[in-house]
Amino acid sequence: MTVKTLAHKLNAKELNLADPNREVERIYAGDLLSHVMGNAPSNCVWFTVMTNVNICAVATLTDCSVIVVCEGCIPDQLTLERAKTQGINILSTVLTISEAIVRVHNAG
Amino acid sequence: MSSLHLEYEVEGNNFVSAGQATEKVKFCLKGMGINPADIRRIAIAMYEAEINMVIHANGGKALVDIFVDKIVVKLVDTGPGIADIDKAMTPGFSTATDSIRDLGFGAGMGLHNMKKYTDEMYVESTVGVGTTITLVVNFS
């Protein structure tokens, strides 16, 4: 599905939609950035509760399609500005990581 | 063999600018048409090394040489050094503080990831003098 469709399924806040038509092919979840870098596949949706600016670097390095910040967490202004500059899709949802994964999985 | 040489200063304890050297190298490799999978490997390894210098060594220098067939990145710092390199290479081992962990770092996977994603990796370190990490990725 596309990032735009994903945002709709998760009822997510669209914090930065640089490329809404980008395809999401895999699912990954994690908060420890070295684990994310080591394991997140390209073109994935990355679910996390981390909000600091380093998530932008990790998203760029892993080439994930979209970051979804869960549990109602909102990234700070610096993170959002970096996401805009680097063209990173970033959403926020009140769902927990597990709820969000189940919803995306069930949506196919 | 001719190469492109790049040098970057990495600022210590600055998590906002951390990763900028890696991003510049990544951009440069992209422009040269290097295989995206190879770019991903060196970018992940270099970012881990850059973050380590930011966290542990009050910054340092990144010296990059891009050849026709490979990239060699040397990360040189004058930080506290690593007392036991084998122990530091163990997945999960970390000396990072809680405030570093709050940022999502300090998982103890940094050196492990560097090894995993490169074709060659060398760690030279002397306690009280500093650490030099060399990362090599061969282009496919």
Side-chain angles (χ1 to χ4, degrees):
Chain A
M1 72 177 77
T2 64
V3 170
K4 183 80 188 164
T5 308
L6 180 93
H8 181 69
K9 298 276 180 206
L10 295 174
N11 206 12
K13 209 178 274 179
E14 297 169 1
L15 301 178
N16 191 55
L17 272 190
D19 185 1
N21 294 321
R22 184 160 176 189
E23 281 293 323
V24 173
E25 295 170 359
R26 309 275 293 273
I27 298 173
Y28 185 83
D31 299 319
L32 289 171
L33 301 183
S34 285
H35 282 276
V36 179
M37 272 192 290
N39 297 299
S42 303
N43 304 316
C44 70
V45 44
W46 169 29
F47 292 108
T48 185
V49 292
M50 295 305 288
T51 56
N52 67 70
V53 69
N54 302 296
I55 61 174
C56 292
V58 171
T60 304
L61 292 177
T62 56
D63 196 28
C64 77
S65 296
V66 55
I67 306 171
V68 179
V69 183
C70 295
E71 302 186 12
C73 298
I74 300 284
D76 55 35
Q77 200 52 39
L78 185 64
T79 307
L80 295 177
E81 278 166 22
R82 190 70 66 89
K84 281 195 180 88
T85 314
Q86 298 188 326
I88 297 165
N89 291 317
I90 180 161
L91 309 173
S92 171
T93 176
V94 294
L95 300 175
T96 64
I97 291 176
S98 53
E99 286 167 345
I101 290 174
V102 169
R103 202 177 280 196
V104 173
H105 183 262
N106 289 346
Chain B
M1 195 187 292
S2 65
S3 72
L4 174 63
H5 182 77
L6 305 165
E7 285 194 29
Y8 304 99
E9 292 283 340
V10 177
E11 197 182 328
N13 303 308
N14 186 341
F15 289 92
V16 175
S17 65
Q20 282 183 356
T22 302
E23 276 163 28
K24 284 175 187 157
V25 169
K26 192 181 170 188
F27 184 76
C28 187
L29 292 172
K30 229 177 189 173
M32 294 166 78
I34 302 298
N35 181 333
D38 293 336
I39 297 177
R40 182 183 154 113
R41 290 198 297 132
I42 192 63
I44 290 172
M46 185 177 168
Y47 183 69
E48 290 281 15
E50 212 185 323
I51 288 292
N52 272 359
M53 290 203 300
V54 172
I55 295 174
H56 299 289
N58 199 25
K61 270 189 174 27
L63 313 174
V64 181
D65 284 290
I66 304 171
F67 299 88
V68 176
D69 58 343
K70 67 181 175 185
I71 177 167
V72 180
V73 181
K74 259 186 203 294
L75 298 114
V76 184
D77 71 57
T78 51
I82 304 168
D84 186 337
I85 294 173
D86 285 342
K87 199 171 179 183
M89 293 288 296
T90 309
F93 177 81
S94 174
T95 57
T97 59
D98 285 348
S99 62
I100 299 295
R101 287 170 205 267
D102 286 346
L103 291 171
F105 298 111
M109 297 301 288
L111 288 166
H112 179 75
N113 271 355
M114 287 177 224
K115 195 166 179 61
K116 180 176 167 187
Y117 283 101
T118 54
D119 294 302
E120 293 169 55
M121 177 211 177
Y122 307 100
V123 184
E124 298 155 74
S125 191
T126 307
V127 172
V129 177
T131 300
T132 296
I133 303 245
T134 306
L135 307 167
V136 182
V137 166
N138 298 323
F139 299 142
S140 49

